[in-house]
Amino acid sequence: MNNNTAKPFVKWVGGKGQLLDSLVKRLPLCFFQNKDITYIEPFVGGGAMLFYMLRTFSNIKRVVINDINPELITSYKTVRDNPTELIKSLASIQDEYMATDDDKKKDYYLQIRNKYNTKTDDPIEITTMFFFLNRTCFNGLYRVNKTGQFNVPYGKYKKPNICNSDIILADSELLQKVEILTGDFEQTFNFAGNNTFFYFDPPYRPLNCTSNFNDYAKETFNDAEQVRLKKYCDKVNAAGCKFLLSNSDSFDDKKQEFFFDHLYSGYYIERVQANRNVNANGAKRGKINEVLVRNFNID
């Protein structure tokens, strides 16, 4: 299998595909030297950075990923451990959906969404529904209500690519070396050692009070969580590990200052441009700034 085929198997709001060039330019020197690296992503999300790193750097000897979203992590494990069974199941649901009359496709989507929210224990079934909803919901958005129920509306796509066997097989091959965790980001510190690099891509802080779109998980990642993450970065820094973090360029209306400039003062802070593509109103999409924070010099 050609590893160049490997890329994120889901669409992910806030995914880092468009920022890869900016992120790679800010990697520490150790990645370009003959050193064994431990790479840790405490908020793996869609995995754009993960799959780039796995494809590119052979000196990464240990990889640990984590996310609080249990269905997402089940999908990573299924792609890694049972790609053939998953492909068979995805091909079946894709054929059934495409054979459904256009005026009944929304009903089919809602039926799968309701079944997904019953939280079956079968990892193949969970992952199949996760893929299906990701490819057929509005904008590939993942949003849940306070009880953890997935509630994204139907996306009205004509020919969604629900089963891409080439990507699944390529991803499975690369994921063989990856340790996959579910839960709070702080547990990843247990895997840190010499030459460890953390990439943090947490749930983004809303740019303003009206820009949030509900929660990615039932556990809200609010400002208190952003502060807890900063303290965790301090812990990572004190342990001699390197980190790079990305987040929104949000303004704190109450304090009349940029939130992350204040929070991460003492670290290197830069701004890069990214595309906003979540808004249903096309006129409100466009270039926005994102903040990159790191604890090492790249000069």
Side-chain angles (χ1 to χ4, degrees):
M1 178 61 61
N2 182 358
N3 281 342
N4 289 329
T5 306
K7 62 180 182 179
F9 51 78
V10 291
K11 297 187 290 183
W12 209 248
V13 171
K16 288 296 153 302
Q18 61 174 306
L19 280 184
L20 280 177
D21 286 345
S22 296
L23 296 172
V24 171
K25 288 176 181 177
R26 291 160 176 82
L27 289 175
L29 187 62
C30 58
F31 280 101
F32 307 96
Q33 299 173 333
N34 188 23
K35 294 182 178 180
D36 291 349
I37 305 295
T38 296
Y39 176 76
I40 300 178
E41 269 201 61
F43 306 89
V44 68
M49 187 67 164
L50 168 70
F51 288 112
Y52 175 86
M53 301 298 279
L54 290 173
R55 291 196 315 264
T56 306
F57 296 103
S58 61
N59 57 335
I60 297 179
K61 301 303 180 184
R62 189 179 194 188
V63 183
V64 179
I65 62 173
N66 175 78
D67 204 277
I68 201 169
N69 184 318
E71 288 75 34
L72 174 65
I73 290 301
T74 295
S75 297
Y76 271 99
K77 291 180 178 178
T78 302
V79 170
R80 182 189 64 186
D81 300 334
N82 296 294
T84 303
E85 291 180 58
L86 175 61
I87 290 169
K88 182 179 178 180
S89 180
L90 287 172
S92 177
I93 198 171
Q94 178 173 269
D95 290 345
E96 188 172 3
Y97 175 74
M98 295 307 295
T100 302
D101 292 341
D102 288 345
D103 60 348
K104 296 181 179 179
K105 279 184 165 61
K106 180 179 179 180
D107 291 338
Y108 186 95
Y109 169 85
L110 293 175
Q111 178 185 346
I112 298 298
R113 191 180 74 173
N114 289 337
K115 187 176 182 181
Y116 176 78
N117 283 328
T118 64
K119 308 300 182 186
T120 174
D121 293 329
D122 184 340
I124 299 294
E125 188 174 15
I126 292 172
T127 305
T128 298
M129 291 188 291
F130 185 91
F131 271 58
F132 172 81
L133 294 172
N134 178 259
R135 294 297 179 181
T136 57
C137 73
F138 173 73
N139 259 8
L141 184 65
Y142 196 95
R143 182 187 67 192
V144 298
N145 60 25
K146 296 302 181 183
T147 61
Q149 300 287 293
F150 180 82
N151 62 1
V152 181
Y154 180 56
K156 300 179 182 179
Y157 300 109
K158 294 293 184 182
K159 294 183 179 179
N161 188 0
I162 298 165
C163 179
N164 190 318
S165 57
D166 289 341
I167 290 176
I168 292 171
L169 292 172
D171 288 356
S172 179
E173 185 175 326
L174 287 182
L175 289 171
Q176 296 305 307
K177 66 188 294 184
V178 178
E179 298 173 69
I180 303 175
L181 312 176
T182 310
D184 188 74
F185 63 85
E186 291 202 45
Q187 68 177 319
T188 58
F189 189 79
N190 298 327
F191 298 84
N194 294 330
N195 296 323
T196 297
F197 175 72
F198 285 80
Y199 172 56
F200 296 103
D201 186 32
Y204 273 22
R205 186 176 190 267
L207 293 174
N208 53 58
C209 61
T210 63
S211 64
N212 204 3
F213 54 83
N214 291 358
D215 291 318
Y216 156 78
K218 63 181 179 179
E219 300 84 358
T220 300
F221 205 88
N222 54 22
D223 282 357
E225 289 297 283
Q226 298 286 0
V227 172
R228 184 166 70 95
L229 174 57
K230 189 271 177 180
K231 292 179 180 178
Y232 183 67
C233 288
D234 291 340
K235 182 177 179 179
V236 166
N237 181 60
C241 303
K242 294 180 171 60
F243 76 82
L244 175 64
L245 176 145
S246 52
N247 215 306
S248 59
D249 190 15
S250 59
F251 192 76
D252 192 321
D253 294 324
K254 293 181 180 179
K255 296 183 178 180
Q256 291 297 301
E257 62 187 12
F258 285 97
F259 181 83
F260 293 107
D261 292 71
H262 173 74
L263 185 61
Y264 285 93
S265 61
Y267 293 111
Y268 297 95
I269 300 174
E270 298 177 88
R271 284 172 171 81
V272 296
Q273 284 201 325
N275 290 316
R276 179 208 296 269
N277 53 14
V278 179
N279 203 301
N281 184 349
K284 294 185 179 181
R285 300 174 188 174
K287 295 287 186 180
I288 60 170
N289 282 337
E290 295 203 7
V291 172
L292 300 182
V293 181
R294 52 187 165 83
N295 69 332
F296 53 92
N297 193 336
I298 58 172
D299 291 340

